[in-house]
Amino acid sequence: MLTKKNINDFAIFGGSVSFEQQLHVGRPNIGNKERLLARIGEVVDRRWLTNSGPCVEEFEQRLRQLLGVGHCESLCNATDGLQLAMRAMGMSGEVIVPAFTFIATAHAVQWLGFTAVFCDVDPRTHTIDPARVEELITPRTTGIVGVHLWGQPCDIEALEEIARRHGLKLLFDSAHAFNCSWRGRMIGNFGDAEVFSFHATKVFNTFEGGALATNNADLARRVRQMRNFGFSGMDQTDALGTNAKMSEASAAMGLVNLESLAEFVDENFRNHQAYRRGLEGIPGVKLIEYDSSEKCNYHYVVLEIDDSRTVLSRDELKEILWAENVLARRYFYPGCHRMEPYASTMPNVADRLPVTERLARRVLVLPTGTAVSVDQVECICGILRLAVAHGGDMASMLEERRTTARCAGPT
Ligand code: T4K
């Protein structure tokens, strides 16, 4: 790990690279390897690999305990989980979703043949703005999908009130919000249902995986059937179903990782604090803070870059970091509405999404998790501080590089 002192030390201008190994946003957190291998060994010995085996049963029970929720159905991933949930709730027609989210939220709606109606988000929390939701409700609207982005709860109270008043279903995409709370109650207990992602890149993973949490027994039963082809008994289906089951190997990973969840969160918190200290006072670089009175997984280190103050744009800072092997990400650029199939079918929708548009230009997510140390965080902050301190000169040098590359033409 190298400390930079002046402009020529930056790797992008020919200096040495700060980190030998790449630092990722989303390097998996992995619990005790011996216990995992032992559990997988038991799975193999039992020859019971999937279809509600003992690991899945135990995992679901642990999840119910942790979340304090009535029902928790494990799934193969959150995208399928969102689809199953919307279908089981009877959504159809138009479904309101935030434009600033991972594309899976919108795709899940559209995959079912419904229309995703993009809503703007709150500038402070980056979650769906209830005031804008109301304006988008039409006679064809059947549901709202709120996303607890970065693990920050949506304005749950306002969304529940709107859903009740208009007779709409309310689903939460809680992909980022495992082990988070709202008003002291665990995320997983709100709306008609909530869907978690246990993808490799999440704070807690089951390789691939997800779960639906709800306090509605009938909804849970329908999802349970749907994830297993609609079977309600042997040789009998009650409704359309698919295959969205979690395997025993994934559940084994989940059980082992649950044992280390508190450590994962502690390390994220420690890194977040280090980022906060290290970035303090850098003009134009704002770190998104979490509500310390709630349970939080601190899994996303989210910056908003105001380039009127940093001089360097968000994309230039990203380029500088990548050259140092810090693989910062522009989540969720360019906004769902600017990606296909939405961009072609709703070309003017950006006009009503000013906050999403601004965040898509400004947000930069930095590496954290158990694979990233405080020393590394401090080094990343040092790179950003030095770059912004020399913003004007750096921007000119980057422009010169781009001009040279353009003149050289395609290689
Ligand atoms: N709703 C929301 C709000 C979501 O954010 C997501 C998923 C979903 C729904 C759907 O959940 P799932 O159906 O996936 O359960 C990643 C994940 O693939 C995606 O699950 C996640 N959100 C999204 C935010 O991030 P990418 O395109 O960033 O993935 P990728 O392959 O670039 O990986 C990120 C970084 O992590 C890379 O630098 C490499 C590193 N990595 C990745 C994997 C998979 C590793 O070091 N090891 C690994 O095993 O989408």
Side-chain angles (χ1 to χ4, degrees):
M1 214 157 46
L2 290 167
T3 311
K4 317 253 160 215
K5 297 214 165 46
N6 59 57
I7 290 192
N8 294 321
D9 292 342
F10 283 102
I12 200 159
F13 301 132
S16 306
V17 177
S18 293
F19 299 98
E20 270 174 40
Q21 307 275 337
Q22 294 181 327
L23 296 181
H24 299 267
V25 175
R27 200 88 174 133
N29 292 330
I30 300 173
N32 187 289
K33 191 170 150 190
E34 282 68 41
R35 281 210 288 284
L36 173 65
L37 294 178
R39 278 219 180 243
I40 302 251
E42 288 164 18
V43 168
V44 171
D45 290 345
R46 267 196 300 270
R47 292 179 188 256
W48 196 283
L49 308 184
T50 185
N51 291 12
S52 295
C55 285
V56 161
E57 296 281 322
E58 187 183 345
F59 181 51
E60 291 180 344
Q61 191 206 337
R62 293 270 171 87
L63 291 179
R64 283 194 296 274
Q65 276 168 0
L66 182 89
L67 303 173
V69 73
H71 309 274
C72 203
E73 310 302 331
S74 63
L75 298 161
C76 59
N77 62 55
T79 309
D80 277 10
L82 292 170
Q83 288 165 21
L84 258 60
M86 285 187 275
R87 191 183 270 277
M89 283 175 191
M91 285 192 196
S92 62
E94 293 176 3
V95 176
I96 300 173
V97 297
F100 194 63
T101 177
F102 187 58
I103 197 68
T105 319
H107 278 355
V109 173
Q110 211 79 9
W111 193 261
L112 290 171
F114 312 158
T115 303
V117 175
F118 291 119
C119 184
D120 212 358
V121 295
D122 180 290
R124 193 180 58 83
T125 62
H126 302 183
T127 60
I128 195 164
D129 183 343
R132 302 282 83 78
V133 168
E134 284 242 58
E135 297 164 3
L136 297 171
I137 296 172
T138 74
R140 295 194 67 231
T141 309
T142 60
I144 304 166
V145 181
V147 181
H148 303 308
L149 208 77
W150 321 130
Q152 301 216 89
C154 296
D155 186 343
I156 293 174
E157 189 173 29
L159 292 172
E160 286 187 337
E161 197 274 321
I162 292 171
R164 205 166 27 245
R165 195 151 33 83
H166 293 271
L168 303 176
K169 296 293 178 193
L170 178 60
L171 173 64
F172 287 109
D173 175 341
S174 310
H176 297 185
F178 189 61
N179 203 48
C180 297
S181 70
W182 181 70
R183 297 189 180 167
R185 204 168 166 212
M186 294 303 274
I187 293 293
N189 283 278
F190 303 105
D192 291 288
E194 307 209 38
V195 174
F196 296 102
S197 171
F198 302 145
H199 181 260
T201 55
K202 297 293 183 281
V203 62
F204 164 82
N205 83 86
T206 58
F207 298 113
E208 287 265 8
L212 174 134
T214 181
N215 286 307
N216 179 331
D218 189 49
L219 182 64
R221 183 189 55 77
R222 267 178 284 151
V223 167
R224 211 176 171 80
Q225 284 184 6
M226 276 184 179
R227 75 173 176 189
N228 187 28
F229 312 102
F231 280 119
S232 54
M234 202 173 277
D235 308 326
Q236 184 188 328
T237 61
D238 280 359
L240 186 64
T242 184
N243 182 0
K245 289 174 267 106
M246 176 175 277
S247 74
E248 284 289 280
S250 283
M253 178 71 146
L255 285 165
V256 170
N257 279 346
L258 275 182
E259 292 169 15
S260 299
L261 179 60
E263 281 161 49
F264 300 160
V265 172
D266 280 353
E267 297 214 20
N268 276 351
F269 178 65
R270 182 207 60 192
N271 283 349
H272 204 270
Q273 296 283 84
Y275 272 117
R276 188 205 279 181
R277 284 192 305 273
L279 297 170
E280 202 173 353
I282 304 182
V285 175
K286 178 177 144 198
L287 174 69
I288 300 302
E289 298 281 354
Y290 294 100
D291 179 351
S292 57
S293 68
E294 296 286 357
K295 255 178 110 78
C296 177
N297 61 39
Y298 297 92
H299 193 55
Y300 290 95
V301 176
V302 183
L303 303 185
E304 272 183 54
I305 308 297
D306 174 0
D307 59 15
S308 69
R309 300 181 67 208
T310 52
V311 185
L312 291 161
S313 69
R314 181 275 311 269
D315 289 356
E316 286 171 331
L317 284 170
K318 173 181 162 268
E319 212 187 332
I320 291 162
L321 289 170
W322 275 60
E324 304 294 347
N325 264 341
V326 180
L327 307 189
R329 297 292 295 261
R330 302 186 292 184
Y331 291 146
F332 289 103
Y333 176 84
C336 295
H337 61 297
R338 289 192 179 274
M339 296 170 90
E340 294 298 350
Y342 316 102
S344 303
T345 50
M346 38 182 103
N348 301 321
V349 77
D351 297 346
R352 68 154 196 259
L353 303 169
V355 181
T356 297
E357 288 276 295
R358 196 171 69 237
L359 293 176
R361 276 196 310 273
R362 288 186 167 197
V363 165
L364 190 63
V365 178
L366 299 178
T368 188
T370 52
V372 179
S373 69
V374 165
D375 286 352
Q376 290 171 325
V377 169
E378 286 169 356
C379 183
I380 295 169
C381 295
I383 295 167
L384 285 169
R385 187 176 292 281
L386 188 67
V388 173
H390 296 280
D393 292 342
M394 297 273 292
S396 313
M397 285 167 76
L398 287 170
E399 181 52 34
E400 231 170 81
R401 263 177 104 243
R402 285 192 289 265
T403 312
T404 314
R406 268 196 303 272
C407 293
T411 47

